[in-house]
Amino acid sequence: MGSRIEILNEAGFRSDGRRQFELRDLTIDLAKHGEADGSALISHGLTQVLVSVYGPREAKMRSHTFHDRANINVEVVVASFSTGERRKRQRGDKRVLEFAATIKSTFEPVIRTNLYPRSQIDIYVQVLQQDGSTLQTCINAATLALMNAGIPMTDFVCAVTGGVHSTSPMLDLSTLEENDIPHVTVAVMPKTKKVVLVTMETRLHVDRFEEILNLARDAGAILHQEMKEAILARSATLVALAEPVTKNQNKGDDDVVMD
Amino acid sequence: MRPPSPSIPEKEFLNSALKQNLRIDGRAPLDMRTPVFIFGPELGWVDCSLGKTRVIAYVDAKMVKPTPERPFEGMITIHSELSPMASSEYETGRPSEEEVTITRMLDKIIKRSDALDKESLCILAGQRVWHIRLSLHFLADAGNMVDCACLAGIVALRHFRRPEVEVIGDDEVIVHSPLERAPMPLAIHHSPFCFTFAFFADPETPPILDPTQLEQRLSAGLMSIALNAQKEICVLQKLGGVPQDTEEVLRLVKVAVAQAKELSNTVDAKLTADWETRKVEVR
């Protein structure tokens, strides 16, 4: 059935009406979820991921602490209703475990873990809807959730999935495209333009790979702008909310005001 | 139990040596240990070692009923389990993070890259297909188990011969013994080889190919590239570690391309050399 669908038609449009290098609509919600120290609900098109960050806090298990840095713990849950066919993944599923390990190792060099020795940072990832580029969405959501929690990081981590249809590269793939064409996920640090993560699981010629790697790196910079705006907007609302409280305190009785 | 971390003098010695482009075993930074293959008496049994890292791969085939979703395709399964035999780092029971990475990597390189033609394993559509089982035994871990296991697996699959079968009428299958008819090799599309590079936290230290256990433990990140002699990358995995420029990643891909060509020639030569010692076909 896969071959029936035209990945890129003659006019240069993809199956969902996008252009080759067009990213899907990105929505970011940084509102507080429950007790988490920071959380982010973001969607790239129809792929939606919720990430909650707890910490830095005391590790539940003593053996998981390091004397010189914080331990990062990532747990991924893929909702059984997230894909077309309803499937329950078990906790011990190797693919989910690998996914969690990937996210963990992506953030290890970026988070300033040495500032919090003997503690733990928990990143809980909930995949709510999947329509391709799941890893990309998870990494972007985790970046925003970590920032929302106020955890010091050296830079943003922006992930983009790229693929090649015969000779034409494209970005931000949907499930349909991911099933049909080779794809690469690249996570970049926009300030230094260095790549933290590169992962590819399908066969691709070396020359094509070079093209897509550079393209995905540049697309990361675009995502960076969007993510930065969202973070700044969130901080602005928080500052605005905090202001009236301080004003009220100043208006109150003199003997109540401290320092 | 957490493995003992290398001692400080050991660590400093290795780091300062690497900074001068020297490795403890005398290799250049982008040199690979020479693989050694020992073929067993049976077809599909290979003992592959890279230095002291040693993996045994064994292939066997049996007939099974295919799954209803894919009635025309044979099955391939990879069995691998890291036991404490290889290194005290591994424990039995719950798979460690490293073990998950190794098994998933093998799965991706051998199964998902379509190295083996599954349709040619079909005997009778919907009723009988070959089930190829590749078991890997990790005997010793002296660093870079992924590359060694991948190499052993691919060589074992290429070394293996399955019995010739004949279909008579609609549902009768005759399996010919190797004495009657020469066994058939598996239909292999391409042979991917895996190359692992280690990066170090110090920016002056160059990345190295095929790290030993000590180098691997002191490194700040690994990158594995699996590709075939036709310059097609099958799997590329750089998970975290030191952030790198894209130019550096592409440079290492080029190194891997050259290595793959060389390794492919060695493997071809070794397999033909072994084949000549065997009397399988008498005409």
Side-chain angles (χ1 to χ4, degrees):
Chain A
M1 201 192 91
S3 54
R4 287 272 185 86
I5 295 147
E6 218 171 5
I7 295 293
L8 190 72
N9 69 14
E10 277 171 17
F13 287 104
R14 287 152 70 174
S15 53
D16 51 2
R18 277 186 290 157
R19 290 272 185 192
Q20 245 175 300
F21 301 146
E22 201 175 327
L23 303 176
R24 287 179 289 182
D25 181 40
L26 172 68
T27 43
I28 301 173
D29 177 9
L30 297 175
K32 192 174 158 80
H33 281 273
E35 284 297 295
D37 292 307
S39 54
L41 174 70
I42 90 164
S43 38
H44 282 274
L46 291 175
T47 306
Q48 191 175 48
V49 173
L50 170 68
V51 175
S52 308
V53 171
Y54 290 84
R57 63 181 182 185
E58 193 181 338
K60 284 228 173 72
M61 275 202 279
R62 237 339 203 356
S63 56
H64 287 176
T65 53
F66 298 106
H67 72 93
D68 56 346
R69 64 197 149 97
N71 177 32
I72 300 169
N73 175 38
V74 180
E75 274 171 42
V76 177
V77 179
V78 180
S80 52
F81 50 80
S82 65
T83 44
E85 54 179 313
R86 196 183 178 92
R87 167 161 46 168
K88 185 134 181 85
R89 284 203 185 278
Q90 285 168 346
R91 272 178 73 90
D93 189 337
K94 286 225 167 99
R95 283 176 84 155
V96 177
L97 283 180
E98 192 205 21
F99 212 77
T102 309
I103 297 173
K104 180 186 167 175
S105 44
T106 307
F107 284 99
E108 252 167 3
V110 186
I111 297 176
R112 304 272 316 264
T113 46
N114 55 334
L115 296 177
Y116 304 103
R118 311 188 63 82
S119 46
Q120 180 170 311
I121 297 166
D122 291 291
I123 303 174
Y124 296 113
V125 180
Q126 287 272 355
V127 180
L128 301 175
Q129 286 178 185
Q130 289 190 72
D131 183 29
S133 313
T134 314
L135 183 59
Q136 160 194 320
T137 317
C138 288
I139 289 176
N140 292 340
T143 306
L144 291 172
L146 283 163
M147 293 196 163
N148 207 5
I151 289 168
M153 290 159 74
T154 46
D155 202 350
F156 279 75
V157 183
C158 305
V160 185
T161 301
V164 184
H165 173 62
S166 65
T167 56
S168 33
M170 44 181 72
L171 290 169
D172 196 6
L173 309 184
S174 63
T175 302
L176 245 165
E177 293 161 340
E178 235 174 30
N179 288 341
D180 244 31
I181 62 173
H183 52 95
V184 190
T185 302
V186 181
V188 286
M189 291 166 68
K191 219 179 273 170
T192 49
K193 289 249 174 193
K194 287 191 172 181
V195 293
V196 195
L197 165 108
V198 186
T199 153
M200 184 173 77
E201 301 181 356
T202 29
R203 223 173 348 149
L204 185 65
H205 196 269
V206 170
D207 301 342
R208 293 274 97 75
F209 173 75
E210 187 169 341
E211 197 177 22
I212 194 70
L213 184 66
N214 288 325
L215 190 69
R217 185 193 59 185
D218 298 340
I222 305 292
L223 273 182
H224 173 233
Q225 280 174 10
E226 293 285 325
M227 287 159 75
K228 196 173 172 184
E229 266 169 38
I231 281 285
L232 289 177
R234 170 73 182 160
S235 317
T237 33
L238 284 180
V239 169
L241 281 174
E243 259 166 10
V245 180
T246 43
K247 269 177 201 158
N248 287 342
Q249 269 181 359
N250 292 342
K251 274 180 202 161
D253 290 334
D254 282 356
D255 49 349
V256 181
V257 177
M258 293 162 104
D259 65 356
Chain B
M1 191 197 79
R2 233 182 263 171
S5 53
S7 64
I8 294 169
E10 231 177 336
K11 194 170 153 180
E12 279 173 356
F13 177 68
L14 187 107
N15 283 338
S16 60
L18 279 179
K19 233 180 250 180
Q20 300 164 45
N21 280 343
L22 296 168
R23 286 170 80 171
I24 291 181
D25 49 8
R27 281 184 283 160
L30 295 175
D31 256 4
M32 198 180 152
R33 290 173 287 186
T34 327
V36 178
F37 302 103
I38 301 167
F39 296 98
E42 283 172 67
L43 291 165
W45 193 100
V46 177
D47 171 341
C48 169
S49 39
L50 275 177
K52 289 242 160 94
T53 305
R54 197 163 158 219
V55 176
I56 287 181
Y58 177 67
V59 180
D60 58 358
K62 62 179 179 191
M63 271 190 221
V64 291
K65 205 175 156 59
T67 54
E69 301 98 68
R70 287 158 199 261
F72 306 106
E73 288 185 7
M75 286 187 260
I76 305 154
T77 46
I78 304 172
H79 291 262
S80 59
E81 198 180 325
L82 286 163
S83 69
M85 182 185 184
S87 157
S88 58
E89 271 176 67
Y90 308 113
E91 290 167 42
T92 43
R94 196 173 178 269
S96 67
E97 211 164 276
E98 203 180 351
E99 191 179 337
V100 171
T101 329
I102 292 181
T103 47
R104 284 282 299 149
M105 192 72 188
L106 284 169
D107 186 73
K108 280 188 244 173
I109 296 171
I110 296 171
K111 262 169 82 180
R112 296 215 13 214
S113 72
D114 288 325
L116 229 63
D117 184 23
K118 282 191 196 155
E119 278 179 24
S120 70
L121 296 173
C122 178
I123 303 164
L124 259 177
Q127 292 181 43
R128 279 276 176 273
V129 293
W130 285 109
H131 178 190
I132 304 289
R133 200 170 70 150
L134 170 66
S135 358
L136 294 160
H137 301 276
F138 299 93
L139 298 189
D141 179 10
N144 204 6
M145 286 269 274
V146 185
D147 292 12
C148 192
C150 172
L151 188 58
I154 287 292
V155 173
L157 286 171
R158 287 181 53 179
H159 191 244
F160 180 69
R161 298 286 188 276
R162 67 170 170 80
E164 169 90 284
V165 287
E166 196 181 348
V167 181
I168 298 174
D170 276 346
D171 52 356
E172 200 182 338
V173 178
I174 301 175
V175 182
H176 292 285
S177 88
L179 295 174
E180 277 172 44
R181 288 199 191 175
M184 302 261 294
L186 300 173
I188 291 178
H189 290 307
H190 65 112
S191 322
F193 299 107
C194 184
F195 299 96
T196 299
F197 296 88
F199 299 107
F200 291 86
D202 188 287
E204 282 168 49
T205 313
I208 55 166
L209 176 63
D210 186 20
T212 61
Q213 196 180 29
L214 183 65
E215 287 164 339
Q216 198 170 339
R217 214 179 282 164
L218 291 174
S219 74
L222 300 174
M223 175 164 85
S224 295
I225 307 172
L227 37 68
N228 56 26
Q230 290 78 44
K231 286 176 87 177
E232 284 172 321
I233 307 178
C234 302
V235 181
L236 189 138
Q237 193 156 270
K238 180 202 180 303
L239 307 177
V242 197
Q244 295 288 333
D245 288 322
T246 44
E247 288 76 29
E248 181 71 0
V249 173
L250 292 170
R251 185 178 76 90
L252 294 180
V253 167
K254 287 210 180 87
V255 171
V257 166
Q259 290 280 350
K261 221 170 248 171
E262 212 173 287
L263 190 56
S264 164
N265 291 338
T266 341
V267 166
D268 286 350
K270 294 269 181 202
L271 279 168
T272 23
D274 174 71
W275 195 240
E276 274 158 15
T277 64
R278 286 170 199 271
K279 247 193 192 157
V280 179
E281 238 167 310
V282 182
R283 286 226 168 110

